[in-house]
């Protein structure tokens, strides 16, 4: 199965696109940590308006039934390279509620580093997951972040994210997701200058251990990209 994942990654890397902006490859993390979890992932996000492509790989390793570590490496297409380093990020996820809870909560802490004198980032996520019915669940996260290092912006920045998923037959999930970025907490941006994205997703198993998720995010404001197409592959071990 790992061979299939690497093959998909190689094919995607070979596709030629021009200069990329900051396409959104991150998702909406759930707070639940499964003991023994080991997984690798590949993600790609494409903005057709600027022919922009961002790609990332990550690896998950659960330390126990409460804490999970993830390492992320992202690349993007730039004027210098078809696959230019964008950032490396380390994440720690902490499940706060018992496994039996219908309303799960957790925290996630991120540290991101970049090169070329671009600022890094530290962030904290407050994550929620509610099981509304046997086949319906909702996730929501509030995120605060701050730039660190060279050319760091002043202030603490706020985002929210959420999705609603419905489980169909054959372990297929369909639903919708929403991403909101408000700017600095002490200077919230007006609606037309803030980034707000929403769109549908479909997630389905390709094998017993390999999962595919596709989605399209549509811009809801003038400051948002018009549309971003995304593909996520996750291989469990």
């Amino acid at each position: 199965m790992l061979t299939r994942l690497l093959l998909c990654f190689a094919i995607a890397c070979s596709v030629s696109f021009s200069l990329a902006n900051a396409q959104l490859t991150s998702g909406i993390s759930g707070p639940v940590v499964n003991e023994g979890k080991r997984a690798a992932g590949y993600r790609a996000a494409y903005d057709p308006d600027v022919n922009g492509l961002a790609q990332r790989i990550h690896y998950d390793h659960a330390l126990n039934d409460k804490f999970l570590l993830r390492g992320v490496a992202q690349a993007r297409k730039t004027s210098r390279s078809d696959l230019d380093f964008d950032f490396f990020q380390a994440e720690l996820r902490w499940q706060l509620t018992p496994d039996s809870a219908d309303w799960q909560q957790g925290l996630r802490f991120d540290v991101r580093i970049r090169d070329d004198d671009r600022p890094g980032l530290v962030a904290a996520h407050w994550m929620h997951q509610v099981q509304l019915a046997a086949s319906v669940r909702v996730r929501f996260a509030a995120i605060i972040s701050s730039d660190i290092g060279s050319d760091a912006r002043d202030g603490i920045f706020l985002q929210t994210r959420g999705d609603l998923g419905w489980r169909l037959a054959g372990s297929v999930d369909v639903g919708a997701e929403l991403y909101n970025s408000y700017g600095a907490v002490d200077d919230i941006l007006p609606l037309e200058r803030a980034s707000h994205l929403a769109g549908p997703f479909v997630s389905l198993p390709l094998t017993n251990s390999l999962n595919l998720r596709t989605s399209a995010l549509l811009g809801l404001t003038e400051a948002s990209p018009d549309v971003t197409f995304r593909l996520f592959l996750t291989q469990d071990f």
Side-chain angles (χ1 to χ4, degrees):
M1 295 306 104
L2 179 59
T3 302
R4 293 188 184 184
L5 179 63
L6 294 175
L7 178 60
C8 291
F9 175 61
I11 292 172
C13 287
S14 67
V15 180
S16 177
F17 296 98
S18 62
L19 186 64
N21 287 334
Q23 283 71 53
L24 183 65
T25 58
S26 57
I28 301 161
S29 295
V32 176
V33 174
N34 296 315
E35 188 169 10
K37 173 78 170 180
R38 306 287 187 274
Y42 164 76
R43 297 180 179 181
Y46 172 58
D47 181 345
D49 283 345
V50 296
N51 284 333
L53 178 71
Q55 301 177 83
R56 63 174 259 188
I57 54 174
H58 67 253
Y59 180 72
D60 294 344
H61 183 99
L63 303 177
N64 49 41
D65 63 349
K66 294 296 182 185
F67 293 96
L68 180 141
L69 289 173
R70 169 178 285 181
V72 180
Q74 177 158 308
R76 57 184 178 147
K77 172 76 175 183
T78 68
S79 58
R80 297 181 304 178
S81 171
D82 290 347
L83 200 63
D84 197 12
F85 172 77
D86 191 9
F87 65 78
F88 175 79
Q89 181 164 298
E91 303 173 3
L92 175 65
R93 190 181 309 176
W94 177 15
Q95 180 179 329
L96 299 176
T97 45
D99 291 341
S100 58
D102 288 333
W103 186 338
Q104 295 282 358
Q105 297 185 54
L107 297 172
R108 198 185 99 190
F109 304 99
D110 304 343
V111 178
R112 177 181 297 183
I113 58 174
R114 294 186 174 99
D115 62 355
D116 295 332
D117 293 325
R118 294 178 298 152
L121 174 145
V122 292
H125 301 232
W126 185 22
M127 304 174 296
H128 303 262
Q129 179 174 298
V130 182
Q131 200 69 36
L132 300 177
S135 59
V136 181
R137 64 113 181 95
V138 63
R139 286 178 176 170
F140 172 81
I143 306 166
I144 56 172
S145 64
S146 178
D147 287 357
I148 56 174
S150 301
D151 295 325
R153 298 170 297 172
D154 293 330
I156 297 174
F157 299 89
L158 175 65
Q159 299 178 54
T160 57
R161 299 176 180 178
D163 70 9
L164 177 66
W166 180 24
R167 174 62 58 91
L168 305 178
S171 298
V172 175
D173 292 315
V174 298
E177 51 191 356
L178 176 67
Y179 294 80
N180 308 291
S181 182
Y182 305 99
V185 296
D186 59 352
D187 188 19
I188 298 297
L189 294 171
L191 181 63
E192 66 274 9
R193 291 176 54 202
S195 176
H196 298 281
L197 307 166
F201 71 83
V202 178
S203 177
L204 69 157
L206 300 180
T207 70
N208 289 335
S209 59
L210 180 62
N211 191 79
L212 169 67
R213 178 182 174 117
T214 61
S215 61
L217 295 176
L218 306 177
L220 305 180
T221 61
E222 292 183 6
S224 309
D226 288 339
V227 62
T228 302
F229 299 104
R230 309 198 302 165
L231 179 149
F232 295 2
L233 284 167
T234 304
Q235 173 69 61
D236 290 317
F237 301 106

